[in-house]
Amino acid sequence: MLTLPELKSLLATPQQIVITTHHKPDGDAMGSSLGLYGYLIQKGHHVKVITPTDYPTFLHWMPNNSDVIIFTEEQEKAAKLVDEAALIFCLDFNTLSRINELGELVRAAGAKKVMIDHHLEPEDFDDYRHWSINACAAAQLVYDFIVNQLEDKAGINKDVAACLYTGIMTDSGSFRFESATANVYRIAADLIDLGAEHWKIHQQVYDNASEDRLRFLGYCLSNKLEIIREYNTAIIAVTKEELARFNSTTGDTEGVVNYALSINGIKLAALIVERSDKVKLSVRSTGDFPANEICKKYFNGGGHRNAAGGASEKPLNDVVNDFKSILEEYKNQLIA
């Protein structure tokens, strides 16, 4: 394992560095990655952010986004960068399966691996770990890494602050989740003081939908929402044909499940989407109900207690039926 003094020593001179994050990156994944990127390039390091896949266009406004390499589009270039890196920062994920084919390249690389993450049950592939399940976002931990571990708050300029604020804002549900503690608010205020334009960031992320995306949301709520009152559960199941009908692109399904969860009395909500390769689930819950347990136990996934995801190789209807059959096991918790 790498100690903090050893890591600081490495970072004291320019290094070849790769930053990567989980597939289909969200606001926290890109915010933490581009925030750390913005910090490290100020220190003279040669840095590249490599994402396993594409990500939503409503995140493309972020500082230094044009420098991101998407692995599925530039595999040879990405593989060369991973192979030549001295340090690889792994942000907002803790198992290499979360970065798809890129995972085995990272595992085989001779670079020192640094994990900065807030998910349960990390895999032991890293050499240095800054990890806490109590953090609301990986971006919060990147802030803590820079300010408290590297002791370099001066390195958080306006661009870095904007990225880190984005990650914290999105993963805390705009500061409404239980994970948004008083300390999170203090960090957010600090990032605003350091230049993050909070109002503009919120507008770029949440008020930047395409017409197709908004019509897709309306269709889901009007035609696809199923309420199972016996279990205080809501389900939205979407076929790949329906995705195509609304010209769905990466990110268009993000947040849809939260509308189902917002219904009075609903304690568990699932968005079940048929993709070209498999069926994906986004599961949300309220209170102490373990959404992550359902995803881990039955759908090859996991995540946080109230926000988790999974996948299945079965047909869409079978996955929906499997999800419904699980509800009886959790009935006492769901009706409590």
Side-chain angles (χ1 to χ4, degrees):
M1 296 296 287
L2 195 65
T3 66
L4 180 57
E6 288 170 339
L7 179 57
K8 283 183 172 181
S9 178
L10 273 174
L11 291 172
T13 56
Q15 302 289 340
Q16 297 284 345
I17 297 175
V18 163
I19 300 170
T20 190
T21 189
H22 60 76
H23 71 273
K24 296 297 178 184
D26 56 9
D28 188 26
M30 295 311 301
S32 57
S33 296
L34 288 170
L36 183 60
Y37 173 90
Y39 169 76
L40 291 172
I41 59 173
Q42 293 178 70
K43 305 302 173 181
H45 298 291
H46 307 286
V47 192
K48 287 296 181 183
V49 174
I50 302 175
T51 62
T53 61
D54 64 348
Y55 47 96
T57 56
F58 58 76
L59 298 175
H60 288 190
W61 63 270
M62 297 174 72
N64 299 308
N65 176 76
S66 60
D67 293 336
V68 174
I69 294 170
I70 299 172
F71 178 75
T72 51
E73 298 176 7
E74 299 184 82
Q75 290 192 27
E76 284 190 21
K77 182 177 181 180
K80 187 172 186 291
L81 288 166
V82 169
D83 184 59
E84 294 175 350
L87 282 168
I88 299 176
F89 282 87
C90 301
L91 307 187
D92 201 29
F93 73 96
N94 60 24
T95 61
L96 290 175
S97 62
R98 291 280 284 143
I99 56 173
N100 302 347
E101 295 88 349
L102 185 57
E104 290 312 307
L105 296 179
V106 170
R107 190 187 303 278
K112 297 294 184 183
K113 289 97 177 177
V114 179
M115 178 198 298
I116 302 179
D117 182 61
H118 63 136
H119 295 90
L120 294 165
E121 300 176 349
E123 177 188 345
D124 290 327
F125 68 84
D126 51 314
D127 298 290
Y128 183 84
R129 182 177 302 178
H130 188 46
W131 172 78
S132 173
I133 60 171
N134 296 318
C136 79
Q140 178 186 345
L141 292 172
V142 171
Y143 171 93
D144 185 62
F145 177 71
I146 295 171
V147 172
N148 297 316
Q149 296 207 327
L150 300 183
E151 302 176 288
D152 191 17
K153 186 176 177 178
I156 300 182
N157 61 18
K158 182 178 180 178
D159 286 349
V160 174
C163 293
L164 297 183
Y165 185 94
T166 301
I168 292 171
M169 178 190 74
T170 53
D171 244 31
S172 66
S174 294
F175 304 96
R176 74 182 190 274
F177 294 160
E178 185 180 352
S179 60
T181 61
N183 185 50
V184 170
Y185 276 88
R186 292 186 191 100
I187 292 171
D190 197 24
L191 292 171
I192 292 170
D193 284 341
L194 291 166
E197 296 175 297
H198 59 98
W199 58 274
K200 184 182 289 187
I201 292 169
H202 190 280
Q203 194 173 61
Q204 293 275 24
V205 174
Y206 294 116
D207 301 329
N208 201 13
S210 66
E211 180 181 341
D212 283 330
R213 185 185 181 198
L214 208 59
R215 291 189 183 280
F216 172 72
L217 171 61
Y219 174 77
C220 287
L221 298 179
S222 177
N223 296 79
K224 305 299 292 184
L225 178 64
E226 180 181 0
I227 308 296
I228 308 174
R229 286 291 178 188
E230 180 185 1
Y231 299 108
N232 291 327
T233 295
I235 299 173
I236 297 173
V238 181
T239 67
K240 57 186 177 183
E241 288 78 18
E242 288 166 328
L243 292 176
R245 187 191 313 172
F246 291 93
N247 303 308
S248 180
T249 61
T250 296
D252 281 358
T253 60
E254 193 166 317
V256 173
V257 66
N258 295 325
Y259 286 91
L261 189 66
S262 72
I263 298 168
N264 184 36
I266 294 301
K267 197 164 187 176
L268 178 67
L271 174 67
I272 306 175
V273 181
E274 182 184 34
R275 299 291 185 181
S276 57
D277 55 341
K278 59 183 69 176
V279 172
K280 302 288 184 68
L281 298 90
S282 294
V283 183
R284 301 291 183 269
S285 67
T286 61
D288 294 330
F289 190 86
N292 56 344
E293 182 180 309
I294 286 179
C295 290
K296 181 180 179 181
K297 191 173 178 181
Y298 295 103
F299 298 107
N300 307 302
H304 304 290
R305 181 183 63 194
N306 297 130
S312 175
E313 303 286 347
K314 293 183 179 180
L316 178 63
N317 287 338
D318 289 351
V319 177
V320 172
N321 289 332
D322 286 347
F323 188 86
K324 290 178 179 178
S325 71
I326 292 163
L327 300 178
E328 180 63 29
E329 177 185 343
Y330 293 94
K331 184 172 184 178
N332 290 340
Q333 291 168 268
L334 288 167
I335 66 175

